[in-house]
């Protein structure tokens, strides 16, 4: 097909020249007839249209050209002989593209489309007098049959752009941003500074109940594919997750796993560095789509409950929904009066009208004390999914054993399972004990070390319970003795 096309092109270029000559020799009416006949012939013999996409348009890099380049890089493997490989600054992997002079045939809905890559060089006339420089002009051409013009301009080019964007997004290096500007080694201007995000956590390495994990993954997939759904129901395309649980249970690790799963950037929002509500709004406006905004340890970041508590005292009969929304006048006076960050400012940040200034965003709060948080902050709709990160149970232990020791079963697993049912230990502690100190005797050595750790933890937990029980004891003399004994025993085991 391609050879025939090229041949036809050169023949018709010759015929165009003949037509030009005829125009000068014959009367105008006769020429018009010839021309109309010519068009019919042309459509019959050469029914093709060509679209050219230049690398630069109005002296600016043409984004369409860049996306086509990315798209054709994935199509070129079968047809083209000469390819180029380049490493871009913010890309995770090498980008392959068509070399100049190459061509690729793409197929869309059964229609064949021909792409060509060209490069022209010509002298730069603006540099008169000096040794002349050469200017390079690159472009792609897309050639297809005229009868598919609507499909190509309506659907195919849109498809190329979307695919190009998706490939570009998959290859981009993730970044983590911070508003804590005290750290000089972060890059960038404006309110956020960034560095590359290279955390290795994934859902495969995250130790937790497999059912819960699957539920979270499904939720994330539904969210990332939910563009049409969100616009259909009229909701801003964002989702809130509250991660709560004791220290070392994997809340921060989960955030890294989510970011890696979706390939999103992270905005680590340090509330103590935010001056006031308008500062928070500005920060929000500087975040991009496809990102995760994280507020870690929300319970101890800042005292956000004061104002609301006062308000709650005033109101006795309102519903929760009414409690959430302060009247705008009251809000304004609150902000002006204090000139600082308030709970209503944070609520507006999460789901006020400004929160829709970017799309496809996830907001995550983490806390060790979920009961300390203002209910308005974490109500469903704001924090859509509440995820408890709990102490390590047997299923989670198996994931850690696989990650750290590369084993899926072992005779000592039974003992470990029994102990895990009796004690509360964080995955962080289990992981620490599974880390081999040297290569000898693995994995036996590590598992035995873990069992010892569990036994110690069990005794400490029993002693702690006994200590607490003293409070309820009527016999003061006995309880004081018990506390002393517990304290001594605890010291032996810690
Ligand atoms: N569920 C888990 N799966 C895999 N590794 C975990 C898990 N929980 C903890 N770890 C390990 O323990 C370390 C600490 O975990 P992490 O920082 O995620 O805990 P956290 O819940 O955020 O704790 P904190 O409440 O103190 O912030 C991690 O580096 C990771 O190696
Ligand atoms: Mg953490």
């Amino acid at each position: 097909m391609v050879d025939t096309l090229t041949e036809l092109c050169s023949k018709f270029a010759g015929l165009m020249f003949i037509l030009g000559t005829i125009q000068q020799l014959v009367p105008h009416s006769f020429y018009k007839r010839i021309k109309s006949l010519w068009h019919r012939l042309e459509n019959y013999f050469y029914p093709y249209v060509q679209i050219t996409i230049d690398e630069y348009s109005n002296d600016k890099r043409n984004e369409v050209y860049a996306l086509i380049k990315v798209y054709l890089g994935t199509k070129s493997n079968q047809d083209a002989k000469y390819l180029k490989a380049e490493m871009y600054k913010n890309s995770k992997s090498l980008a392959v593209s068509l070399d100049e002079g190459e061509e690729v045939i793409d197929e869309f809905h059964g229609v064949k489309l021909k792409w060509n890559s060209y490069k022209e060089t010509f002298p730069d006339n603006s540099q008169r007098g000096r040794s002349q420089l050469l200017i390079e002009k690159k472009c792609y051409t897309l050639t297809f049959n005229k009868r598919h013009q609507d499909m190509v301009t309506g659907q195919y080019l849109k498809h190329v752009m979307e695919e190009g964007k998706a490939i570009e997004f998959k290859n981009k290096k993730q970044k983590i941003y911070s508003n804590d500007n005290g750290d000089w080694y972060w890059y960038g201007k404006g309110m956020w500074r960034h560095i590359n995000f290279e955390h290795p956590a994934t859902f495969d390495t995250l130790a937790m109940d497999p059912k819960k994990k699957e539920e979270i993954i499904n939720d994330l997939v539904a969210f990332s594919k939910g563009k049409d759904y969100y616009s259909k129901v009229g909701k801003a395309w964002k989702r809130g997750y509250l991660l709560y649980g004791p220290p070392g249970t994997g809340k921060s690790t989960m955030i890294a796993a989510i970011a890696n799963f979706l390939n999103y950037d992270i905005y680590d929002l340090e509330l103590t560095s935010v001056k006031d509500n308008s500062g928070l709004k500005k920060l929000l406006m500087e975040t991009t789509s496809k990102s995760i905004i994280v507020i870690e340890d929300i319970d101890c970041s800042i005292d956000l409950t004061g104002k609301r508590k006062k308000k709650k005292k005033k109101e006795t009969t309102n519903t929760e929904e009414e409690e959430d929304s302060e009247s705008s006048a009251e809000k304004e006076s609150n902000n002006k009066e204090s000139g600082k960050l308030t709970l209503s400012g944070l609520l507006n940040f999460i789901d006020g009208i400004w929160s829709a200034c970017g799309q496809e965003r996830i907001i995550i709060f983490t806390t060790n004390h979920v009961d300390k948080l203002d209910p308005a902050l974490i109500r469903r709709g704001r924090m859509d999914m509440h995820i408890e990160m709990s102490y390590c149970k047997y299923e989670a232990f198996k994931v850690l054993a696989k990650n750290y020791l590369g084993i899926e079963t072992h005779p000592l697993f039974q003992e470990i399972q029994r102990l895990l049912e009796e004690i509360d230990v964080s995955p962080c502690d289990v992981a620490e004990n599974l880390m081999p100190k040297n290569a000898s005797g693995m994995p036996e050595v590590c598992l035995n070390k873990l069992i010892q750790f569990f036994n110690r933890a069990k005794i400490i937990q029993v002693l702690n319970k006994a200590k607490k029980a003293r409070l309820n004891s009527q016999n003061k003399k006995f309880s004081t003795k018990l506390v002393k004994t517990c304290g001594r025993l605890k010291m032996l085991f810690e």
Side-chain angles (χ1 to χ4, degrees):
M1 174 195 166
V2 180
D3 287 344
T4 334
L5 266 178
T6 327
E7 214 173 286
L8 279 171
C9 272
S10 58
K11 279 187 186 158
F12 276 85
L15 285 171
M16 283 296 282
F17 174 75
I18 297 171
L19 196 68
T21 320
I22 293 173
Q23 186 183 8
Q24 289 163 11
L25 299 176
V26 297
H28 187 65
S29 58
F30 185 56
Y31 169 72
K32 266 174 83 180
R33 273 195 199 174
I34 293 178
K35 201 175 166 193
S36 121
L37 181 69
W38 161 255
H39 279 310
R40 266 188 266 157
L41 273 172
E42 189 186 35
N43 281 346
Y44 183 77
F45 286 110
Y46 187 75
Y48 298 101
V49 177
Q50 193 176 70
I51 298 177
T52 303
I53 301 103
D54 290 316
E55 187 183 16
Y56 285 89
S57 151
N58 297 327
D59 288 338
K60 279 197 197 132
R61 271 191 89 84
N62 185 354
E63 207 199 325
V64 178
Y65 178 93
L67 291 174
I68 291 169
K69 186 172 171 178
V70 174
Y71 174 79
L72 292 181
T74 61
K75 299 279 158 192
S76 53
N77 298 344
Q78 308 107 25
D79 299 308
K81 287 199 182 84
Y82 297 97
L83 303 172
K84 278 194 296 191
E86 290 158 285
M87 188 80 196
Y88 295 117
K89 199 175 144 208
N90 285 322
S91 183
K92 276 196 254 188
S93 52
L94 275 179
V96 174
S97 60
L98 278 188
D99 204 354
E100 283 81 34
E102 279 291 334
E103 76 173 34
V104 151
I105 306 293
D106 192 16
E107 201 171 322
F108 185 72
H109 294 333
V111 175
K112 286 208 160 55
L113 305 119
K114 185 176 71 134
W115 285 100
N116 282 84
S117 164
Y118 292 109
K119 180 170 89 176
E120 276 178 49
T121 36
F122 48 90
D124 182 1
N125 292 330
S126 64
Q127 304 285 322
R128 253 177 237 147
R130 298 192 213 155
S131 60
Q132 251 189 1
L133 294 171
L134 290 176
I135 294 180
E136 269 186 2
K137 193 177 163 226
K138 291 183 193 171
C139 70
Y140 288 115
T141 58
L142 171 64
T143 314
F144 52 90
N145 196 305
K146 254 180 203 162
R147 66 191 148 140
H148 301 305
Q149 187 157 351
D150 287 346
M151 187 276 288
V152 170
T153 49
Q155 293 173 48
Y156 177 67
L157 286 177
K158 191 171 164 239
H159 159 82
V160 172
M161 296 296 99
E162 282 172 357
E163 285 278 304
K165 275 186 193 158
I167 300 161
E168 221 174 41
F169 176 70
K170 227 167 87 191
N171 284 340
K172 88 165 171 51
K173 270 191 195 157
Q174 284 164 272
K175 292 198 177 88
I176 178 161
Y177 294 81
S178 169
N179 65 316
D180 191 359
N181 289 343
D183 300 333
W184 56 267
Y185 47 83
W186 293 65
Y187 300 105
K189 303 188 276 236
M191 301 187 79
W192 295 99
R193 302 291 155 101
H194 68 265
I195 51 172
N196 286 338
F197 178 72
E198 282 161 1
H199 199 296
T202 63
F203 276 108
D204 287 339
T205 63
L206 191 68
M208 67 184 292
D209 176 34
K211 269 195 203 140
K212 226 187 310 174
K213 198 193 282 190
E214 201 187 320
E215 202 185 314
I216 297 165
I217 293 175
N218 289 343
D219 195 78
L220 290 169
V221 172
F223 170 76
S224 62
K225 292 185 179 166
K227 189 178 180 185
D228 294 339
Y229 171 78
Y230 279 85
S231 77
K232 197 177 97 190
V233 298
K235 259 172 83 124
W237 191 10
K238 63 189 176 60
R239 195 145 178 87
Y241 295 94
L242 171 72
L243 307 183
Y244 66 96
T249 47
K251 297 178 292 298
S252 305
T253 312
M254 162 81 85
I255 295 170
I258 293 177
N260 285 335
F261 181 69
L262 296 174
N263 211 29
Y264 284 8
D265 290 334
I266 294 180
Y267 287 88
D268 184 13
L269 179 59
E270 181 52 62
L271 281 185
T272 50
S273 303
V274 181
K275 234 173 62 205
D276 51 23
N277 290 343
S278 78
L280 191 62
K281 204 188 279 176
K282 279 183 205 148
L283 280 165
L284 178 67
M285 282 158 69
E286 280 193 24
T287 59
T288 53
S289 299
K290 292 185 186 283
S291 63
I292 304 174
I293 300 172
V294 176
I295 306 181
E296 287 251 47
D297 299 318
I298 181 99
D299 54 304
C300 32
S301 295
I302 193 166
D303 179 23
L304 291 163
T305 50
K307 281 227 167 337
R308 288 195 67 82
K309 275 185 184 152
K310 262 189 234 159
K311 190 171 181 305
K312 269 187 198 161
K313 268 186 209 161
K314 272 191 260 162
E315 294 165 9
T316 47
T317 51
N318 283 4
T319 61
E320 197 201 291
E321 213 48 46
E322 285 166 329
E323 278 173 15
D324 290 350
S325 53
E326 287 174 307
S327 76
S328 57
E330 198 175 349
K331 232 184 270 170
E332 212 172 292
S333 77
N334 279 345
N335 295 352
K336 269 188 194 160
E337 159 212 293
S338 53
K340 62 177 187 182
L341 187 61
T342 62
L343 179 62
S344 65
L346 186 60
L347 298 182
N348 268 333
F349 176 83
I350 304 165
D351 63 0
I353 199 92
W354 287 94
S355 68
C357 64
Q359 285 210 319
E360 208 178 339
R361 268 192 309 211
I362 289 178
I363 297 175
I364 302 183
F365 289 168
T366 73
T367 180
N368 294 139
H369 307 283
V370 68
D371 44 313
K372 277 195 196 168
L373 299 179
D374 191 304
L377 195 58
I378 56 168
R379 71 147 166 78
R380 306 277 163 177
R382 276 201 182 104
M383 290 292 113
D384 302 281
M385 208 174 178
H386 294 192
I387 303 166
E388 183 180 5
M389 300 302 287
S390 55
Y391 288 119
C392 189
K393 293 295 152 209
Y394 184 57
E395 289 301 325
F397 158 76
K398 285 203 289 188
V399 175
L400 291 173
K402 197 174 164 205
N403 293 344
Y404 284 78
L405 305 175
I407 53 170
E408 291 188 40
T409 56
H410 192 280
L412 288 173
F413 274 21
Q414 227 179 346
E415 169 84 349
I416 289 171
Q417 183 174 13
R418 187 184 62 75
L419 283 163
L420 281 174
E421 277 160 21
E422 295 173 14
I423 52 167
D424 288 339
V425 281
S426 67
C428 177
D429 285 333
V430 176
E432 182 57 32
N433 281 282
L434 288 180
M435 290 252 271
K437 297 282 182 267
N438 57 52
S440 64
M442 286 216 314
E444 238 96 309
V445 176
C446 295
L447 292 178
N448 275 318
K449 195 172 70 166
L450 186 67
I451 290 173
Q452 273 175 28
F453 170 77
F454 284 173
N455 281 321
R456 275 204 307 277
K458 190 175 160 186
I459 292 167
I460 290 169
Q461 279 172 23
V462 168
L463 291 175
N464 279 340
K465 269 186 199 156
K467 205 173 159 186
K468 269 189 196 155
R470 154 199 101 99
L471 295 171
N472 303 326
S473 167
Q474 298 298 318
N475 187 340
K476 287 274 177 249
K477 217 171 165 186
F478 168 75
S479 64
T480 322
K481 253 189 179 174
L482 183 68
V483 171
K484 278 188 185 160
T485 324
C486 288
R488 267 185 236 129
L489 280 169
K490 236 180 109 183
M491 270 162 63
L492 282 177
F493 289 107
E494 273 173 344

